[in-house]
Amino acid sequence: MEDVLDALSLGDLVASFSKLPMFPVFDVAYYIVSILYLKYEPGAVEFSRKSPVASWLCAMLYCFGSYILADVLLGESPIDYFSNNSHVLLASAVWYLIFFCPMNLFYKCVSFLPVKLVFVALKEVVRVRKIAVGVHHAHHHYHHGWFIMVFTGWVKGSGVALMSNLEQLLRGVWKPETNEIMHMTFPTKASLYGAILFTLQQSHWLPISKANLIFFFTLFMAISKVFMTATHSHASPFAPIEALVSPIIFCNYGGSHDDHHHDDHGSSHDGSHGAAHPPPQPAAKSKEELNESTRKRKAKKAE
């Protein structure tokens, strides 16, 4: 891989890209896109007027939820990241401008599609770097804990989505059916796959340098998210692969077993007594016959 990159004169670019500082430009883009998604939530604007402190806490979860969840997994203080005053002040300023800027000027500027696409691409740069840092951090504590490295890298990349139910509770909303683990979005799936790749690389099972993996995975994530945002698409790039692999690994051939199970329950709810419940019919019939024979015997005795 390194020889190919050298032949394409990309070696220096990859090395420089892996050393790019995230603060403040990339982090600002991350905060802007994250808080934009918060404002898109139904009732978020009215909620910010009614309860500014709770709205600010929701914004902080959108910005720093991944750090909080990763610290909890590793047994560290969940509020440790809030000691970074510059990051908290910067995210707070973005929150205030998006929600309370006069005439919504800041929101209109950053939500303008061409500008927003730039911020979305920059956010994916931060996401991939967070996944790599999370795996490295977990490896420092658990050298052979592959699952811990995967979990930590995963929540570093998609902790905001995984904590969405907690954020909803702060806004007085309870939607357990929107659990991110049950219905994974593309960023959550991509973060999981990325965490697996970085764990394999960290454990020297993947023959590629970390700088190259960061570069190529960031390229994939940025292109995918920019395309999905520009086309307003929710289709995952992983869908075709999952459609081929899922039936083989998880025996998911159209859900025939689940459909049969559902049909059985449906028939019981409808009160029908078809093939789903064969035993009761013979029992009921034999009882009727028994009663009929008893009545006949009594009639004969009466005669």
Side-chain angles (χ1 to χ4, degrees), residues 1 19 48 72 104 106 122 146 202 211 231 264-265 290 302:
M1 177 65 71
K19 297 176 182 177
S48 66
V72 170
N104 254 354
F106 187 79
L122 296 180
W146 284 19
Q202 187 73 48
T231 58
D264 288 348
H265 283 285
L290 180 61

Side-chain angles (χ1 to χ4, degrees), residues 27-236:
D27 286 326
V28 168
Y30 186 91
Y31 301 151
I32 288 174
V33 176
S34 298
I35 299 176
L36 273 178
Y37 290 149
L38 172 60
K39 190 168 184 176
Y40 293 156
E41 290 292 327
V45 176
E46 295 78 7
F47 179 74
S48 66
R49 270 57 171 179
K50 181 181 177 181
S51 304
V53 175
S55 177
W56 176 81
L57 285 174
C58 292
M60 294 305 101
L61 281 181
Y62 265 75
C63 294
F64 309 122
S66 56
Y67 299 101
I68 295 172
L69 194 54
D71 287 340
V72 170
L73 286 180
L74 296 177
E76 300 176 359
S77 173
I79 62 172
D80 182 65
Y81 196 80
F82 285 88
S83 62
N84 297 312
N85 297 326
S86 56
H87 286 268
V88 175
L89 289 173
L90 191 59
S92 301
V94 172
W95 164 77
Y96 185 84
L97 289 173
I98 287 180
F99 278 93
F100 301 103
C101 182
M103 296 185 294
N104 254 354
L105 288 177
F106 187 79
Y107 169 76
K108 291 176 182 177
C109 291
V110 297
S111 62
F112 181 54
L113 188 57
V115 178
K116 182 182 176 181
L117 293 179
V118 174
F119 289 142
V120 166
L122 296 180
K123 179 182 179 179
E124 296 310 310
V125 176
V126 179
R127 188 196 303 275
V128 176
R129 197 68 57 90
K130 286 166 64 177
I131 296 172
V133 171
V135 171
H136 179 77
H137 190 190
H139 180 262
H140 179 73
H141 291 276
Y142 305 92
H143 294 290
H144 302 290
W146 284 19
F147 291 101
I148 298 176
M149 286 187 273
V150 171
F151 287 151
T152 307
W154 183 31
V155 302
K156 278 276 191 172
S158 60
V160 180
L162 296 173
M163 295 181 68
S164 60
N165 291 113
L166 175 60
E167 182 273 329
Q168 290 171 356
L169 281 178
L170 289 176
R171 292 188 286 114
V173 179
W174 176 239
K175 295 180 179 179
E177 69 277 3
T178 61
N179 191 306
E180 183 68 18
I181 298 179
M182 293 174 59
H183 308 283
M184 288 191 189
T185 56
F186 166 71
T188 303
K189 286 184 179 181
S191 297
L192 177 58
Y193 298 150
I196 294 173
L197 292 177
F198 279 102
T199 299
L200 293 175
Q201 190 281 327
Q202 187 73 48
S203 304
H204 305 290
W205 282 86
L206 192 63
I208 185 174
S209 68
K210 181 178 289 187
N212 290 333
L213 185 56
I214 289 174
F215 178 79
F216 288 110
F217 196 68
T218 302
L219 198 62
F220 165 74
M221 288 294 295
I223 293 174
S224 299
K225 279 295 292 180
V226 167
F227 176 78
M228 293 173 68
T229 304
T231 58
H232 303 286
S233 171
H234 297 285
S236 171

Side-chain angles (χ1 to χ4, degrees), residues 5-18:
L5 293 176
D6 290 337
L8 297 174
S9 302
L10 293 177
D12 294 337
L13 174 63
V14 170
S16 301
F17 180 79
S18 65

